Amino acid sequence: MKPLHLVAVTAGLSQPSSTRLLADRLTTAAQRQLADAGRPVEVQVVELRELATAIAQHMVTGFPGTALRAALDAVTRADALIAVTPVFTASYSGLFKSFFDVLDNEALVDKPVLIAATGGTARHSLVLDHALRPLFGYLRAVTVPTGVYAASEDWGAAGDDRTDGLSERIDRAARQLAGLLVDAPPAPHRDDDEVVPFAQQLAAVRGA
């Protein structure tokens, strides 16, 4: 059986990075879920901090360097994506957004995406619904229902018995991502820009 290709995009700037740590934990959990379902998976991590200069140059010149082109191709070919960003000014980081700005608009159509973010306080957890979901909705990805946000205090609580523990959220999101890859048939491509004439819509309603 051909292995699934899972790509994790992480926009952490420090090293070590809690954003990369969260990406690694999500990736490991997804691998475990897929292994339990009998599906082999290959994982690739794209560290955006290593591509920051190339992304900026591409936005100015329109030409990606070799490393950036490889990263864009990996995301385009992936069967699923894990996208993790630190929170900057109550939203995703500029580096994170810039990477998806230079990605082809068709690259994520119908692709399962698990969204996640890290921040210093739990007050920023709404970034998942207010920033990340709209972004990937615009790119027509299939976003996993459970997004994972990790505040600073979550790292000390990971693995505890609380119902809102980080480990539980990671496992639930990974299970949902694996379910999209294993259980659901590929969604047919649909052109969201197609306009159905009003007369045709009205006729359909009258015939219902």
Side-chain angles (χ1 to χ4, degrees):
M1 183 180 296
K2 182 180 179 181
L4 295 167
H5 186 203
L6 176 63
V7 173
V9 175
T10 171
L13 297 180
S14 60
Q15 200 172 23
S17 163
S18 61
T19 304
R20 172 61 190 267
L21 177 59
L22 180 57
D24 288 344
R25 290 190 59 181
L26 288 166
T27 301
T28 299
Q31 284 181 290
R32 183 171 60 251
Q33 293 287 343
L34 288 166
D36 290 345
R39 295 301 304 269
V41 58
E42 296 177 348
V43 172
Q44 181 176 348
V45 177
V46 175
E47 282 271 14
L48 296 187
R49 66 185 298 274
E50 300 173 356
L51 301 170
T53 300
I55 292 171
Q57 290 175 341
H58 182 23
M59 296 187 77
V60 173
T61 66
F63 296 99
T66 303
L68 177 56
R69 170 47 59 195
L72 294 171
D73 288 345
V75 170
T76 301
R77 294 193 310 268
D79 294 296
L81 186 68
I82 294 174
V84 192
T85 179
V87 175
F88 281 19
T89 321
S91 188
Y92 36 64
S93 73
L95 179 60
F96 183 87
K97 179 61 162 58
S98 295
F99 177 77
F100 289 100
D101 281 344
V102 299
L103 183 70
D104 186 277
N105 282 341
E106 300 292 320
L108 298 185
V109 174
D110 298 332
K111 194 185 303 291
V113 176
L114 193 167
I115 56 172
T118 59
T121 171
R123 290 179 299 173
H124 290 306
S125 62
L126 290 176
V127 69
L128 296 171
D129 292 323
H130 289 179
L132 288 168
R133 288 195 191 279
L135 170 63
F136 289 102
Y138 173 79
L139 294 171
R140 290 173 285 172
V142 180
T143 310
V144 170
T146 299
V148 179
Y149 178 83
S152 297
E153 61 265 25
D154 283 317
W155 296 109
D160 68 10
D161 293 327
R162 300 184 310 166
T163 57
D164 62 340
L166 179 59
S167 293
E168 181 176 336
R169 298 198 300 274
I170 288 173
D171 287 342
R172 183 167 63 249
R175 183 168 60 252
Q176 292 169 353
L177 180 66
L180 288 174
L181 289 168
V182 173
D183 299 329
H189 176 73
R190 176 180 178 273
D191 186 354
D192 289 338
D193 295 328
E194 181 182 354
V195 177
V196 178
F198 177 74
Q200 182 177 334
Q201 297 181 47
L202 185 60
V205 172
R206 287 175 173 172

